[in-house]
Amino acid sequence: SGSRSGTEVPEQALQERAPIFFNYHEFGERYYADVDARNQLREHDEDHGICMTHFPNVYVARGSPEFETTRIVRVPRRFEVTLDCPYFSTAMPGMEPGAITGEPVFQPFGIFDEDGQLFGYSSASPLARVLSVEKFQEIVITINSYLQNAFYTYSWFNLIDLLLEALSLGLWHPVSKYLWRHPLVHLEDYVQQVNQEQEFKEKGVKIISPRRSGYLSVCFSACYNI
Amino acid sequence: GRFRTVRCRSNLAIFTGFTVVAPMVLFSIFETGRIWHSRDGYKLLVIFFYYFWAMCLSFFVRTATSDPGILPRNIHLGQLKRNFQIPQEYYSTISLPAPQTIRGDIQAKIELKYCTSCRIWRPPRASHCSTCEACILTHDHHCIWVNNCIGQRNYRYFILFLASAILSSIFLIANCSIHIYHHRNLPSKVPVTILLLIYGGLAIIYPMLLLIYHILMTGRQQTTREFLREANSKNPIFTKIHSIEHNPFDRGNFTANMLSLILQPRGISTICPQERHGDRDWRFVSVADFHSFEKMETPL
Ligand SMILES: CCCCCCCCCCCCCCCC(=O)O
Ligand SMILES: [Zn+2]
Ligand SMILES: [Zn+2]
């Protein structure tokens, strides 16, 4: 295990080095309890910090049973490919170029946070336990393509919408709702459809509506404490 | 959105609305009838005035009341522990590769910041508006005259508002000039026409300056916020617009840059004010931050 937060790197060296992509949602923690000593919170050394790879499920009400049992794995946004639309990392969390390597698969070592969540030493995400890499990539690539279509500046949808809006003095806006669906609504349909799949239902995995998460990250909710 | 418009009503937005409505009322009372029944045959100019005036009012209302691109809150909450303490890593600005990083310009990078108020990793070009208390997508600026932020979802309405304000002023000036010309021997007979002519001349200045600035800024692939930060100034007027070096958004072409910002797709609103939500919905939970807590406790 290692740490990316090398803040001691001199400014000059930083400027010369091209940035590397990593999952910026992850963070480290050294004050936690070991899995075999549940109730003993203690400070660990630098090589034994745990890496936070899953987070509270903020998409369900606080204190609800679903909140207690499920956690969120966040797939970060990536910017090398395009800046025209939200584009999500197609690397399985833990396999980004700048990920903290160590155990290649999620292996819990530490217990942290209020509800006794399990974490490992590396960026390896528990998402890989419930979803194959192929399925994961298929989903994110599809989501990205929906977004690319919806945010293409010179699409007929965008241009005609603007033209009609301007000429009709804004009257087009309330009418358009009944005449055509926004391309981003098709993405919502796709996500709902994936959530209905047998595999997802059996494993209790759910993709959070991208609209609900503000297109900030693709969030997978599931019970990862298994 | 419903709750935004109620909360954000202010005197300045009402004042702006008044400056748009007032000349139309005066024009309708004192000009339209006379021009329409005269045989000078410039009815078309009157129609154009009304058309652009209606456009101006409509897009003023749209700019002021639509969602500028508000991002939901608390999406990227790190932990529940220690009163939702923000991890140390989330306080630093991080650099990630941009498209140009791959094409060779390794100094082109995307800087990402975590908004400690909204608890989200803010996308590039989004920024937090302290008046609206939210992060806004492709944030241009908070406009006090419309009492709303100008961002990704209402930028086109804002530009249309400025453009139609200019056009309606032009047609107001044209109509009044012709009318005054017909009474050039006795201008004291048309005092309101003279007043409207002066009004049109004044009302055109500010929107015109703003529109020119927005064209020049977008052509250099900058939002007002980015431009002011680069120029290190609070007053945009008389500040020269320079290109930002290693701007990852730059398309290297004035027109392509301008169109990419003015025509930017709006996306859909991610806050649905009509939608019912429980009081335990995290988007509306105020996550107590140690710092804001401290601030609240200091006596005023
Ligand atoms: C007959 C038409 C009259 C038109 C009246 C136009 C009123 C112009 C008001 C312009 C407001 C522009 C808002 C700018 C916001 C900002 O940059 O802070
Ligand atoms: Zn914010
Ligand atoms: Zn604002």
Side-chain angles (χ1 to χ4, degrees):
Chain A
S1 62
S3 132
R4 282 173 308 231
S5 47
T7 37
E8 290 82 36
V9 182
E11 195 70 357
Q12 185 74 41
L14 260 179
Q15 300 233 310
E16 281 163 12
R17 208 173 55 198
I20 296 171
F21 179 75
F22 67 98
N23 190 343
Y24 45 85
H25 292 294
E26 292 169 8
F27 61 95
E29 181 64 54
R30 302 222 308 257
Y31 190 73
Y32 62 90
D34 293 297
V35 264
D36 42 14
R38 289 214 142 239
N39 299 317
Q40 285 168 25
L41 278 163
R42 65 179 180 90
E43 190 72 25
H44 291 69
D45 62 41
E46 247 172 70
D47 291 336
H48 292 91
I50 48 170
C51 183
M52 302 299 154
T53 49
H54 52 93
F55 309 91
N57 189 350
V58 294
Y59 302 104
V60 292
R62 211 170 165 178
S64 67
E66 213 184 340
F67 180 78
E68 307 291 343
T69 52
T70 56
R71 298 275 291 180
I72 294 287
V73 167
R74 300 183 200 144
V75 178
R77 281 196 26 189
R78 227 175 146 155
F79 308 97
E80 297 103 306
V81 178
T82 177
L83 290 171
D84 298 341
C85 64
Y87 180 93
F88 299 102
S89 165
T90 53
M92 174 62 97
M95 294 184 184
E96 299 90 2
I100 297 172
T101 50
E103 299 78 30
V105 290
F106 179 77
Q107 219 178 321
F109 288 101
I111 298 175
F112 184 73
D113 219 352
E114 293 196 332
D115 37 359
Q117 295 298 328
L118 302 173
F119 297 95
Y121 294 147
S122 73
S123 301
S125 165
L127 182 63
R129 285 179 160 189
V130 291
L131 212 60
S132 71
V133 174
E134 293 73 35
K135 183 72 189 168
F136 167 81
Q137 286 182 335
E138 182 201 312
I139 291 168
V140 180
I141 289 170
T142 313
I143 290 178
N144 283 341
S145 68
Y146 273 105
L147 288 168
Q148 198 148 21
N149 291 336
F151 282 96
Y152 179 54
T153 307
Y154 302 99
S155 66
W156 285 113
F157 178 86
N158 190 38
L159 296 182
I160 292 179
D161 190 55
L162 176 57
L163 192 72
L164 291 179
E165 183 78 345
L167 293 181
S168 71
L169 311 178
L171 295 174
W172 166 245
H173 183 73
V175 177
S176 68
K177 278 202 282 273
Y178 303 101
L179 296 179
W180 64 15
R181 296 179 83 206
H182 196 281
L184 284 173
V185 179
H186 295 290
L187 171 59
E188 295 298 306
D189 295 343
Y190 168 72
V191 166
Q192 290 318 311
Q193 174 213 315
V194 174
N195 282 339
Q196 294 305 314
E197 282 177 18
Q198 198 62 31
E199 186 192 351
F200 270 64
K201 280 186 156 172
E202 269 167 20
K203 293 177 177 164
V205 190
K206 227 189 259 173
I207 312 171
I208 304 299
S209 144
R211 182 180 195 175
R212 171 67 181 82
S213 60
Y215 307 93
L216 295 172
S217 50
V218 177
C219 294
F220 287 88
S221 91
C223 173
Y224 298 110
N225 267 3
I226 36 168
Chain B
R2 190 175 51 187
F3 82 102
R4 285 186 52 75
T5 48
V6 176
R7 188 166 50 107
C8 293
R9 267 285 163 261
S10 94
N11 297 336
L12 273 182
I14 290 168
F15 172 77
T16 312
F18 183 76
T19 59
V20 175
V21 174
M24 189 282 272
V25 173
L26 288 180
F27 188 85
S28 300
I29 295 171
F30 295 96
E31 303 296 310
T32 315
R34 286 203 242 170
I35 293 170
W36 205 255
H37 298 297
S38 72
R39 264 170 285 130
D40 305 317
Y42 54 99
K43 292 190 169 78
L44 208 57
L45 290 182
V46 179
I47 293 168
F48 273 128
F49 167 74
Y50 277 110
Y51 181 75
F52 289 116
W53 175 84
M55 192 186 263
C56 179
L57 182 69
S58 165
F59 288 109
F60 161 68
V61 172
R62 185 59 62 76
T63 310
T65 57
S66 62
D67 163 23
I70 293 178
L71 287 165
R73 287 173 158 260
N74 296 332
I75 296 295
H76 295 152
L77 213 62
Q79 60 187 9
L80 304 174
K81 220 178 164 101
R82 297 183 209 116
N83 209 8
F84 316 101
Q85 194 186 54
I86 299 171
Q88 207 53 49
E89 285 92 331
Y90 283 18
Y91 282 107
S92 45
T93 305
I94 61 161
S95 301
L96 293 174
Q100 285 96 325
T101 317
I102 303 172
R103 282 184 237 132
D105 182 3
I106 64 163
Q107 287 189 62
K109 56 184 183 230
I110 291 293
E111 304 218 300
L112 228 53
K113 266 199 176 120
Y114 185 77
C115 179
T116 52
S117 308
C118 303
R119 309 280 179 133
I120 54 168
W121 279 100
R122 195 188 287 150
R125 289 200 143 171
S127 84
H128 189 86
C129 172
S130 48
T131 312
C132 301
E133 291 177 340
C135 278
I136 313 291
L137 276 171
T138 321
H139 192 197
D140 195 83
H141 67 292
H142 183 89
C143 180
I144 50 166
W145 301 104
V146 301
N147 223 300
N148 198 1
C149 262
I150 309 298
Q152 180 169 318
R153 300 200 70 251
N154 64 354
Y155 192 62
R156 54 176 64 181
Y157 300 148
F158 177 66
I159 296 294
L160 281 170
F161 165 51
L162 294 182
S164 53
I166 294 166
L167 286 168
S168 60
S169 298
I170 288 173
F171 283 103
L172 182 66
I173 292 168
N175 278 312
C176 294
S177 305
I178 295 170
H179 196 179
I180 294 167
Y181 178 77
H182 289 306
H183 294 83
R184 60 191 173 283
N185 300 323
L186 245 174
S188 58
K189 277 193 80 180
V190 284
V192 181
T193 317
I194 294 169
L195 183 81
L196 280 172
L197 179 69
I198 295 168
Y199 192 100
L202 292 176
I204 202 172
I205 298 171
Y206 192 44
M208 184 75 103
L209 269 173
L210 270 169
L211 189 65
I212 291 171
Y213 256 93
H214 276 269
I215 288 169
L216 294 178
M217 286 187 299
T218 52
R220 290 174 176 82
Q221 195 54 256
Q222 284 164 49
T223 63
T224 304
R225 215 182 69 83
E226 290 162 347
F227 160 62
L228 291 180
R229 204 173 52 171
E230 184 70 7
N232 207 353
S233 142
K234 277 243 168 267
N235 176 21
I237 310 298
F238 309 125
T239 307
K240 207 170 172 323
I241 303 167
H242 296 281
S243 302
I244 299 173
E245 276 186 33
H246 309 293
N247 182 352
F249 292 92
D250 200 344
R251 285 154 205 257
N253 168 320
F254 191 94
T255 318
N257 281 338
M258 190 180 80
L259 292 179
S260 79
L261 275 166
I262 290 180
L263 303 179
Q264 63 185 314
R266 299 174 64 228
I268 45 179
S269 185
T270 58
I271 47 145
C272 300
Q274 279 82 23
E275 188 188 316
R276 290 187 155 271
H277 59 82
D279 52 353
R280 291 177 153 201
D281 190 318
W282 286 92
R283 277 172 293 181
F284 308 98
V285 167
S286 157
V287 172
D289 180 43
F290 181 72
H291 303 287
S292 61
F293 197 63
E294 219 173 24
K295 232 180 271 165
M296 262 153 50
E297 295 224 308
T298 51
L300 288 165

